[in-house]
Amino acid sequence: VACCCICAGLLRSRAAPWCRYPRALSECVDAAEREQLGKALVSMTFRTGRTLLLIKELVFSEFEQNCEAPSTILRLNSVASKVMGDYTRRIGTDFLRGTLGDLVHQVCNMQEALEVNPQRLGSSASAASDGSVGTDEPDDPELAKNRQALDELAQRFFDTMSSDDRICRMPREIRCAAWIVKEECRKRHLEEHASALVGGYVMLRFLNAAVATPESFGLLDDGQVPSITSRRTLVLVSKILQNLSNGVEFGKKEKFMEPFNEFLDRNKQGMQNFLARVAEDPNQADFSDILADGAVAPETMAEIETALQTDETLLQHCGRVHKLLYLYSRKVVVASQEAAVARGASGNEMLDRSTDLLELLGALGPPPQSKYGQELEDLQAALEECQESAFKASLNHIVGLNIADFDTSELQKAQFLYGGDEASVGLDGRPVIYFVLSRLKPEFLDDERRLIVHIMSTCGHVLDNPYSLVIDMSWSSTAVKEFKKRVVRSTALLSRVFSRSHRKSLASCYIVHPTPFVETLLWYLKAFASAKVGRKIIKINRWKDILQFIDAAHVQLPESTKSYIGKLYNVDFCAQGARPALRHIKLALDSIVIVERRNKAYHAKAEILHGEIDDIAKIQPASIVLSHRGNSRNVSEAEQRVLFACDKVPVCFELEFQHGDERDEFLAELLALAGDALASSHAATSASFLVTKQTRFGRSDRIIKVASDSIVVATPNGHIKREITFAGVQTIVQGTGSVVVTMRGSGKARTFDTPQCAELAKAINDAFAGFRDDENDSAASAQRHSVQLSRPMP
């Protein structure tokens, strides 16, 4: 069943990402596992014709990893080179027999080797040259004869394999693989290396490999192997041909081969022409008919089951891939995530890469008869372990580097990460680190090493002991696409920076003002994480809720965060003879709005104008008693249209606040807004307006309530549609019959049509100006009490 699932996942899918796991796995496995993995992948993809697609993905990965050292591409012990070598051996045996078979048999029938190394000849030439014979030193007749014969033999080999007839007979799939290498060179502007890299595949992995070890490619009868002398001759021929392919002359390393540099000069252009022709599509196309992902129909599950029952080798190879996927699942996930980030994948695709492989392995469990432990019951633990491995790899980039070489002054000035000192502690006594996402500029992520240094120098000293993390999401969704990309990039980066031990030390993670996108992200995380991890993550929908965990004197959130959501007082509404009910109080410029939350929406329950208040009395410890005459109000019909009904609340009621300080804050704000109206019992200047707004269902009436920190938009029946906080407003412009409020960051404009546009614009601008003055005073106060937030790297 496990093997069927793996075959189905790797062979049947028509979607382009089907080969992302083989590619990621190829980047993660140890060197000792690469040859077996290469054979297994070829075995599983060969029967469905998808091996070329796999080669294309692996070659891309090979160039990505070694682009700065092109000479090493496809030369190292990589999975890509193993896959390409095994694939060409499977499909090129008949071609090799027809091309090299006769020549190889002739060499094997030779009685003596065409030895050109004087030390191996044991003749007088060895004594004369002392093992260092070059082109300008006296030669033994036998040595000269062997050189001439070897030159002629190498020429016959090259002329045969580069003839028009043999090029035309070369399997198109092999030429396609060569074209993939050449095309990747073109895309990366490495054309000067194209001939050598194509030769590294066609010659090193195919033709020359068959010359040096003909028994491995089926060029000899079963059980037949070349003699020692024949093997030596074949090896010398392959040396000459490989240097010709590489475009490298013989030198001091093998001085005895220097006489064959003339052969290299004579055939240099011929080899370049040969490799260029091999890397062309004989059909005068770009191999699109065999490289398209849908070019080969996927096998059904029934066909896969039949193949596994009849092909023992395929079954073993599937079992090996199952084992390797299990062992390297952590690294595979990280490699797949990093590949997604590198090409700007969406958040949803990032989530898929984070969970689908581990979900599959969690269902499969360990490979049969394996010694590698229990099933992956805790998928989060697997993710944590893989992230710790990635963390160590990331830190290797800065090991041994001088920290002073990294200028982090710009990052410190942005203050997107701070805390962890004596002034930043929670009620539990643990240090608190603050991460303000809106201050994290996208360009900060471009230099990962500098960012790692800044993170570790700012808060690295607290990560080894229990600590709390506050992630401030306020104002981060103003540019939605950029915001999502930033979240994905920062998440992948932080997963590498914070090791498993650091994450275990995380006692609590408070996410302040999460956006819907982030809430979805958290839902996915909690779905696959353990309950313990889920308990650590606490959503803070209103910043003041964090006071349950951090003392007000130690909260170091930005002032703009405190203004992200308009001020709303949570109270217990107590009428005489009735049970207390949770209500919310919003202070507008001209009234008190009593709000009720129903079905996750806010509704204006009642509104009391400031001039309708008769008396307010304090009751200890945190309550007031308010009496009014609103239910006997005498207003015009126009005024009635912009006021919420007040006949549903008694003329006298009690409001119990959460604590005395909040009650006193409410009274101070009320007196500041309505002092004159309370003293004279006259209505304050109206701050309520009836407007028309264009919605997707047509034009609809809305009631605007202007408060000291926001604009409340509600329907005439009291349903509050939104609250526009002044902290997010850029400009307020009075147009012809309308007022346009533009949001900062996103530049989104909200238009309100009303005949009272001059009065509405004045009310909003006056309140906005007062809010800005208060905000500047708060910022100046915070600046005076600021502390040094960055520390040297421990």
Side-chain angles (χ1 to χ4, degrees):
V1 173
C3 291
C4 282
C5 289
I6 291 175
C7 280
L10 297 184
L11 306 183
R12 295 182 64 236
S13 173
R14 288 184 181 272
W18 69 271
C19 51
R20 66 172 182 244
Y21 294 135
R23 172 187 164 185
L25 187 58
S26 71
E27 298 172 1
C28 300
V29 296
D30 293 335
E33 303 276 7
R34 290 172 186 167
E35 184 169 0
Q36 292 300 320
L37 174 61
K39 290 182 178 180
L41 291 177
V42 172
S43 177
M44 295 171 63
T45 56
F46 185 79
R47 61 182 298 107
T48 59
R50 278 184 161 78
T51 311
L52 283 173
L53 293 174
L54 176 65
I55 289 175
K56 183 178 181 181
E57 191 73 11
L58 295 179
V59 167
F60 174 84
S61 175
E62 183 83 0
F63 273 82
E64 282 282 295
Q65 297 178 69
N66 303 299
C67 194
E68 295 182 359
S71 61
T72 65
I73 296 175
L74 297 177
R75 298 301 180 101
L76 302 177
N77 184 27
S78 66
V79 176
S81 60
K82 299 298 183 185
V83 167
M84 296 175 77
D86 190 70
Y87 180 62
T88 53
R89 185 178 292 111
R90 283 173 175 258
I91 64 174
T93 301
D94 290 340
F95 170 78
L96 289 174
R97 286 172 180 161
T99 304
L100 304 176
D102 290 344
L103 289 172
V104 169
H105 277 91
Q106 291 176 22
V107 173
C108 290
N109 291 330
M110 295 171 61
Q111 298 299 319
E112 295 181 356
L114 300 180
E115 184 57 68
V116 293
N117 186 345
Q119 291 182 328
R120 286 177 174 263
L121 272 177
S123 65
S124 59
S126 177
S129 65
D130 195 24
S132 58
V133 173
T135 56
D136 57 350
E137 299 193 19
D139 293 340
D140 177 271
E142 183 181 0
L143 186 62
K145 177 182 176 183
N146 287 349
R147 286 176 181 170
Q148 180 65 29
L150 185 60
D151 185 292
E152 294 175 357
L153 181 62
Q155 190 68 54
R156 290 171 59 196
F157 268 91
F158 177 62
D159 289 344
T160 301
M161 64 178 61
S162 62
S163 65
D164 291 342
D165 176 65
R166 300 322 300 172
I167 293 176
C168 292
R169 291 177 182 272
M170 182 178 289
R172 188 164 175 251
E173 292 82 0
I174 295 178
R175 300 181 69 173
C176 178
W179 178 85
I180 290 172
V181 176
K182 181 180 178 181
E183 186 68 8
E184 201 64 41
C185 290
R186 183 190 65 79
K187 292 177 180 178
R188 299 176 186 272
H189 307 292
L190 297 174
E191 289 87 348
E192 68 274 17
H193 299 279
S195 180
L197 293 179
V198 171
Y201 163 57
V202 175
M203 297 299 295
L204 181 64
R205 303 291 174 185
F206 184 45
L207 294 174
N208 266 350
V211 172
T213 57
E215 71 278 10
S216 300
F217 288 79
L219 300 186
L220 300 178
D221 297 334
D222 291 343
Q224 182 184 1
V225 294
S227 64
I228 296 177
T229 55
S230 299
R231 177 81 72 189
R232 177 61 177 168
T233 301
L234 292 172
V235 168
L236 290 173
V237 170
S238 68
K239 277 178 178 288
I240 296 172
L241 295 179
Q242 192 57 51
N243 274 43
L244 178 62
S245 171
N246 296 341
V248 178
E249 292 187 344
F250 293 104
K252 294 181 180 180
K253 184 178 179 180
E254 292 180 308
K255 196 172 181 63
F256 67 90
M257 296 293 292
E258 284 185 351
F260 295 96
N261 285 338
E262 191 275 332
F263 175 93
L264 303 183
D265 293 336
R266 187 172 70 244
N267 293 284
K268 179 179 179 180
Q269 189 60 48
M271 175 61 78
Q272 292 179 354
N273 295 338
F274 166 65
L275 295 176
R277 289 188 61 190
V278 167
E280 293 177 352
D281 188 350
N283 294 349
Q284 303 298 318
D286 56 359
F287 298 97
S288 57
D289 55 325
I290 55 178
L291 282 178
D293 193 45
V296 181
E299 290 187 310
T300 65
M301 285 296 291
E303 290 173 330
I304 290 176
E305 289 183 23
T306 302
L308 290 170
Q309 292 171 2
T310 57
D311 191 340
E312 183 65 25
T313 302
L314 177 62
L315 184 65
Q316 292 175 356
H317 285 155
C318 287
R320 179 169 294 278
V321 173
H322 184 183
K323 170 187 170 182
L324 293 176
L325 282 173
Y326 180 82
L327 289 177
Y328 294 95
S329 59
R330 292 91 167 149
K331 294 182 180 180
V332 169
V333 169
V334 170
S336 183
Q337 287 177 338
E338 291 182 342
V341 172
R343 64 179 187 79
S346 66
N348 288 335
E349 185 176 348
M350 192 73 179
L351 289 172
D352 291 342
R353 289 171 179 265
S354 305
T355 58
D356 53 1
L357 175 64
L358 292 181
E359 184 180 8
L360 170 65
L361 292 178
L364 293 176
Q369 299 179 352
S370 73
K371 58 181 180 180
Y372 300 102
Q374 303 293 320
E375 291 187 3
L376 289 176
E377 297 175 353
D378 189 348
L379 301 180
Q380 183 61 25
L383 272 175
E384 288 178 356
E385 188 170 335
C386 82
Q387 289 170 344
E388 181 166 12
S389 300
F391 161 74
K392 293 177 180 177
S394 296
L395 285 187
N396 286 338
H397 289 296
I398 61 172
V399 170
L401 296 177
N402 187 356
I403 301 303
D405 291 342
F406 295 91
D407 181 11
T408 61
S409 57
E410 186 182 4
L411 282 68
Q412 293 176 9
K413 184 178 179 180
Q415 285 200 338
F416 65 88
L417 186 72
Y418 55 89
D421 51 19
E422 296 80 3
S424 306
V425 293
L427 294 177
D428 53 10
R430 298 187 180 103
V432 180
I433 299 171
Y434 293 84
F435 174 46
V436 184
L437 186 59
S438 62
R439 295 178 176 178
L440 179 64
K441 299 179 182 179
E443 56 265 28
F444 290 169
L445 297 169
D446 295 336
D447 190 344
E448 290 191 0
R449 293 189 294 181
R450 183 179 67 156
L451 185 56
I452 291 173
V453 170
H454 175 65
I455 291 174
M456 298 307 294
S457 62
T458 301
C459 57
H461 59 287
V462 302
L463 299 180
D464 291 328
N465 299 309
Y467 66 95
S468 298
L469 175 65
V470 176
I471 302 178
D472 184 4
M473 312 295 294
S474 309
W475 311 114
S476 297
S477 59
T478 50
V480 177
K481 290 183 179 179
E482 180 60 35
F483 166 70
K484 290 183 178 180
K485 184 178 179 181
R486 197 180 308 176
V487 168
V488 171
R489 292 182 67 186
S490 58
T491 300
L493 175 66
L494 291 176
S495 71
R496 300 197 300 273
V497 172
F498 290 94
S499 69
R500 187 180 183 187
S501 60
H502 292 162
R503 293 194 297 278
K504 279 193 170 184
S505 298
L506 177 63
S508 303
C509 179
Y510 307 106
I511 302 183
V512 181
H513 302 151
T515 64
F517 171 73
V518 173
E519 294 208 30
T520 303
L521 207 66
L522 293 176
W523 183 88
Y524 275 99
L525 175 62
K526 290 187 176 182
F528 295 100
S530 64
K532 181 179 179 181
V533 172
R535 287 193 296 269
K536 289 184 178 182
I537 301 175
I538 302 170
K539 291 189 298 181
I540 306 294
N541 291 316
R542 290 184 174 272
W543 79 267
K544 280 195 173 183
D545 294 343
I546 207 171
L547 298 179
Q548 305 172 49
F549 312 100
I550 304 174
D551 186 80
H554 292 149
V555 173
Q556 295 187 4
L557 288 170
E559 289 299 317
S560 60
T561 296
K562 300 177 182 179
S563 306
Y564 179 70
I565 296 178
K567 191 179 297 182
L568 200 66
Y569 297 95
N570 300 328
V571 299
D572 284 332
F573 183 90
C574 308
Q576 186 176 7
R579 298 176 60 184
L582 177 64
R583 294 290 184 267
H584 311 281
I585 301 296
K586 180 67 183 180
L587 279 176
L589 296 182
D590 61 347
S591 64
I592 299 173
V593 182
I594 302 174
V595 179
E596 178 185 14
R597 188 174 185 184
R598 300 196 304 264
N599 300 325
K600 298 184 179 181
Y602 290 94
H603 298 266
K605 184 79 172 176
E607 180 179 15
I608 302 171
L609 295 174
H610 294 160
E612 297 172 346
I613 299 175
D614 285 332
D615 187 39
I616 300 176
K618 285 185 179 182
I619 300 178
Q620 296 299 330
S623 300
I624 63 172
V625 174
L626 187 149
S627 58
H628 68 98
R629 58 182 185 282
N631 48 4
S632 60
R633 63 171 57 143
N634 184 18
V635 296
S636 65
E637 182 178 352
E639 292 175 311
Q640 186 66 43
R641 293 180 63 189
V642 296
L643 298 177
F644 300 121
C646 197
D647 54 2
K648 295 183 180 180
V649 295
V651 295
C652 183
F653 54 84
E654 177 184 343
L655 298 177
E656 182 178 353
F657 293 80
Q658 293 180 348
H659 47 79
D661 292 343
E662 190 174 43
R663 177 198 57 188
D664 295 341
E665 182 183 348
F666 168 80
L667 290 175
E669 185 180 0
L670 178 61
L671 288 173
L673 293 174
D676 295 338
L678 292 175
S680 61
S681 297
H682 293 302
T685 303
S686 176
S688 302
F689 301 88
L690 184 66
V691 302
T692 305
K693 190 175 185 305
Q694 182 66 44
T695 69
R696 57 180 177 175
F697 303 110
R699 301 187 66 82
S700 301
D701 289 341
R702 295 286 188 267
I703 293 177
I704 295 290
K705 298 286 181 182
V706 182
S708 60
D709 62 345
S710 64
I711 305 168
V712 179
V713 183
T715 61
N717 63 1
H719 178 207
I720 297 177
K721 302 293 290 185
R722 68 170 40 88
E723 184 176 13
I724 305 171
T725 57
F726 287 142
V729 171
Q730 183 69 38
T731 60
I732 300 147
V733 179
Q734 176 186 342
T736 304
S738 64
V739 176
V740 180
V741 179
T742 305
M743 310 304 294
R744 69 181 185 186
S746 65
K748 187 174 184 178
R750 302 191 183 279
T751 304
F752 304 104
D753 298 330
T754 176
Q756 297 177 287
C757 60
E759 293 85 350
L760 175 59
K762 183 178 185 305
I764 296 177
N765 274 307
D766 289 347
F768 183 57
F771 173 83
R772 284 291 186 226
D773 292 340
D774 293 341
E775 188 180 52
N776 292 335
D777 292 342
S778 299
S781 176
Q783 183 67 28
R784 287 194 299 270
H785 294 88
S786 64
V787 296
Q788 182 66 32
L789 299 174
S790 296
R791 294 170 176 257
M793 176 79 84

